[in-house]
Amino acid sequence: MTEGLSNLRLIVDDNGFKKVADISKDKKIGMPNGHLDPEFLRNLTPGSSFEFNGRKFYVFECGIFEYVMYKLKRQTQIVYPKEGYYIMMKLDIGPGKKVGEAGTGSGAFTVCLSKAVGPEGKVYTYEQREEFYNLAMKNYNEGKVFDNVVFYNRSINEGIEERDLDAFFLDVREPWEVMERVREALKPSGNLGIIVPTVNQVSETMKSLIDNNFYIDEAVEIMTRRFKINPERLRPEDMMIGHTGYLIFAKKMI
Amino acid sequence: MTEGLSNLRLIVDDNGFKKVADISKDKKIGMPNGHLDPEFLRNLTPGSSFEFNGRKFYVFECGIFEYVMYKLKRQTQIVYPKEGYYIMMKLDIGPGKKVGEAGTGSGAFTVCLSKAVGPEGKVYTYEQREEFYNLAMKNYNEGKVFDNVVFYNRSINEGIEERDLDAFFLDVREPWEVMERVREALKPSGNLGIIVPTVNQVSETMKSLIDNNFYIDEAVEIMTRRFKINPERLRPEDMMIGHTGYLIFAKKMI
Amino acid sequence: MTEGLSNLRLIVDDNGFKKVADISKDKKIGMPNGHLDPEFLRNLTPGSSFEFNGRKFYVFECGIFEYVMYKLKRQTQIVYPKEGYYIMMKLDIGPGKKVGEAGTGSGAFTVCLSKAVGPEGKVYTYEQREEFYNLAMKNYNEGKVFDNVVFYNRSINEGIEERDLDAFFLDVREPWEVMERVREALKPSGNLGIIVPTVNQVSETMKSLIDNNFYIDEAVEIMTRRFKINPERLRPEDMMIGHTGYLIFAKKMI
Amino acid sequence: MTEGLSNLRLIVDDNGFKKVADISKDKKIGMPNGHLDPEFLRNLTPGSSFEFNGRKFYVFECGIFEYVMYKLKRQTQIVYPKEGYYIMMKLDIGPGKKVGEAGTGSGAFTVCLSKAVGPEGKVYTYEQREEFYNLAMKNYNEGKVFDNVVFYNRSINEGIEERDLDAFFLDVREPWEVMERVREALKPSGNLGIIVPTVNQVSETMKSLIDNNFYIDEAVEIMTRRFKINPERLRPEDMMIGHTGYLIFAKKMI
């Protein structure tokens, strides 16, 4: 395991405050009621609580989920971990797998993939816009667990370098435009996952999958509903996320 | 990678038929329209289609998801992969992690954990009922990817052998009865995940977590809604799963 | 109030059995464990329980909801009351209103409208297929509360007789084909409700509404989730309805 | 029909602005970009559009739904129309019915009931807190369609005046405390609807219904999910209401 996540701490309180801070830097850490010295956090065992300017906080290790949700810098719509983990399940991602991705975006899903395939696996990710390519590499380095990602700064319209990939994930505006390229890169029986925000795109993508000899396994959306943390008056939260994206899964046929 | 999953094949058709077959055995494979010789499947590259008694089928590699959903033998309510992967995300499971589980049940989540922690990780799972303990070991061996699980045939009421575990998952009727034991086994800042089917149990569990000095991170339910695979007449399926379980996540405070 | 609903009784038991029976006929009433004499039910005050062949049942008055769900004969997909009442709310249906409908189908929503507009209101409903037209009239007469519905056996493609209707409800395959006709029949500011099963139809309908100078108020779907009746082990039912239809609401602009 | 709703106008634009204004008053009407003379609106036929300070707006008649959502003054959590109409369906509310309610709260559901039972029906509503009692009467008069509501300023703990009511609706903190009173007021087979925000209350209420010889028909929650009005890029809204309340329906047994 490299640095990355182990330099990060999750700070929370009892009222929903959540923040991920980097304790490897000398920079003061902004809190809702002042600025905290990173040295102070470095000396606290994760799992500890502390008082700061009259308020109580708790500090924990930072996992991939917290890193993506509360620390990763975003300039794009990201794949949220709740979708990301469902995708990894359906793509059968695990230690040792070789996986392709386009586009990288802010790299949120890239760091999830990187962690899941482990030191023996490999992630190849393509992003045509240079600013996102740079951002994703920066984010990856910050949340890194394993050194196993190859970043490309170009569109897969121009072709995918790899062949016989175990799985591929597509997060692009027009998946149907690159379907042939993705087909070339996947091994037979290889898993393809696609995320799109609109139903019009779901229709177009399904047509393209059928035309390109994929078996469509599932089109699905995932909804999570949280409860308020109050055992005596237990009830769901008033608002919930109504939509992030539709997921489509397919398998390459010969 | 050991045998296990690589001996299994997913067989599907265009009308929703799904079956996972073991091609390492000599046993004939039951199909909706007859019995198939495993030798025939052994010679087919995954990704192929074939005609059998006048109907068309497709054969694919079998991933953990398909193994758990279509092959694993169940004598208990299982943790479905859609919850399982969300749990692994929140518990920050990944290659190299040490994870505890109680009860093992049919072992559905155990095989997911085993795959996710990889060859450097370890899963310790406790089940007090001997029939489930035996079933889970059988299921694990059939879907095995890595050799990294320790099975115990006893309740964690009698104590947990391990200390400083990265994470623990509880799928027992009365989580509050074993909360102290779980606390002993987890490292500080370690993640705890719990699944319960009823809201009464959610309340009781929350109280117990508060009493045992855990930080409650989230109580949540996950719903998935599938679309019919018809791009010209796109619409959700008529029926959906309304409930599997409530998930509660907490972190151990010092 | 006329005959209709008052001749019907709801029979239930503690295990989910539900049936609506007509006590005005001499016909024996089929039960899960034999046949019941209607005379017996006629003599029971609604709210009573009774034993029949060793099992306990309860008998209640029959409301519009029970009539539609458990008695109305269906040869078409019907508008379920859960959508029906949402539609009536958005169309501002109430006593005294004049409302149009196409197509009538089995008449499920027609009986809801009839009840809601009361003796001073009026419902005009169009159905081009003679078999459904006949079925809907039969169903209406059976569940009738008020005598206020005009049935037409033709498509509104050929024009709508009425003008200045307060509201209109469309349940046809291609709402965009009849949008001009509906516009003619509605009063300015009149409410239009539309139900369609697929997202492709939602898109087409929205375009047509925009083209025909309607203000689109809302496109929405309604989901209901039931709990099992078990206060000590409270949890949602395992399966729920995943989809019935999408509702679109609009207002006629001048 | 009396004054009330007919004095109100709904004003909207293309970007989600919604407002209900009273045109019977001389008071200037606040708009996002200035103040509008009510005289100006009085002269516009509902269904018209108008430009005001460089922006385009549309004016429509105001229905009960819009009145409750955008005009009714609230000092309490209200019963939203989406639940309100489901409740009315399950309680079999319609023209001519006699219905009881406790507590009145801000009167949101009272105005819905009033409209639905029409001139031949009657609504009896109890509210123990004087401020809400006064507010509800004010709201009712503003949105009034029919003159058919009796307001009481007291708790039903002290008894309900009416007997043989067709239906009763309970929106109080501890429904189990008043269950006997409600039972006295309902006719045999009469419908009871209850709304509570927490699952703990659902459990307690179910127990009380069983103890008081009610048949529990359903415990349910209603979720609505809206789509963005964009036919070319159709997708649900990002956020949705996650919870308003749980509904419980029961029928009085003899």
Side-chain angles (χ1 to χ4, degrees), chain D residues 143-160:
Chain D
K144 193 189 321 198
V145 181
F146 302 108
D147 214 339
N148 54 12
V149 182
V150 179
F151 289 87
Y152 293 99
N153 182 14
R154 59 179 170 86
S155 163
I156 60 169
N157 274 312
E158 303 155 34
I160 298 171

Side-chain angles (χ1 to χ4, degrees), chain A residues 18 47 61 64 66 81 89 92 95 115 187 189 203 217-219 221 223 225-227 231 251 253-254, chain B residues 18 47 61 64 66 81 89 92 95 115 187 189 203 217-219 221 223 225-227 231 251 254:
Chain A
K18 301 205 179 193
E61 290 183 6
I64 276 285
E66 287 94 4
M89 167 185 80
D92 204 42
K115 178 171 178 189
K187 73 175 185 188
S189 188
S203 279
D217 181 47
E218 185 179 45
E221 57 184 332
M223 302 168 80
R225 190 152 71 134
R226 284 209 190 113
F227 277 76
K251 290 167 183 291
M253 297 197 289
I254 293 177
Chain B
K18 303 203 179 195
E61 289 182 5
I64 276 287
E66 288 94 3
M89 168 184 80
D92 204 43
K115 179 172 177 188
K187 73 176 186 187
S189 187
S203 280
D217 181 49
E218 187 180 43
E221 56 183 334
M223 302 168 81
R225 190 153 69 135
R226 286 212 189 109
F227 277 77
K251 291 168 183 291
I254 294 176

Side-chain angles (χ1 to χ4, degrees), chain B residues 170-213:
Chain B
L170 268 182
D171 181 8
V172 299
R173 192 176 297 259
E174 295 178 320
W176 47 92
E177 294 293 336
V178 295
M179 208 60 90
E180 285 179 63
R181 295 306 200 176
V182 171
R183 207 184 135 74
E184 288 166 7
L186 272 174
K187 73 176 186 187
S189 187
N191 288 306
L192 171 57
I194 303 166
I195 192 168
V196 288
T198 75
V199 293
N200 317 71
Q201 290 166 303
V202 174
S203 280
E204 283 309 300
T205 300
M206 278 186 182
K207 286 178 205 165
S208 168
L209 285 165
I210 293 166
D211 290 347
N212 281 279
N213 203 27

Side-chain angles (χ1 to χ4, degrees), chain C residues 44-112:
Chain C
L44 279 184
T45 310
S48 302
S49 61
F50 63 94
E51 299 253 344
F52 180 65
N53 289 347
R55 284 176 54 177
K56 192 172 186 182
F57 296 92
Y58 312 97
V59 60
F60 296 106
E61 290 182 5
C62 174
I64 275 287
F65 175 77
E66 288 94 4
Y67 172 66
V68 170
M69 294 303 284
Y70 310 120
K71 182 74 169 132
L72 180 129
K73 277 164 216 72
R74 307 172 191 182
Q75 291 175 12
T76 63
Q77 174 67 33
I78 67 164
V79 176
Y80 284 97
K82 85 180 159 85
E83 268 87 22
Y85 270 73
Y86 192 90
I87 294 164
M88 293 205 291
M89 167 185 79
K90 294 289 295 186
L91 299 188
D92 204 43
I93 303 302
K97 298 280 179 155
K98 314 287 183 226
V99 192
E101 179 192 33
T104 315
S106 303
F109 189 50
T110 315
V111 301
C112 293

Side-chain angles (χ1 to χ4, degrees), chain B residues 125-143:
Chain B
T125 185
Y126 291 76
E127 171 58 53
Q128 63 178 322
R129 290 183 58 174
E130 194 175 358
E131 61 195 296
F132 300 155
Y133 162 78
N134 287 324
L135 174 68
M137 283 199 297
K138 197 169 169 301
N139 280 331
Y140 165 66
N141 283 314
E142 188 177 43

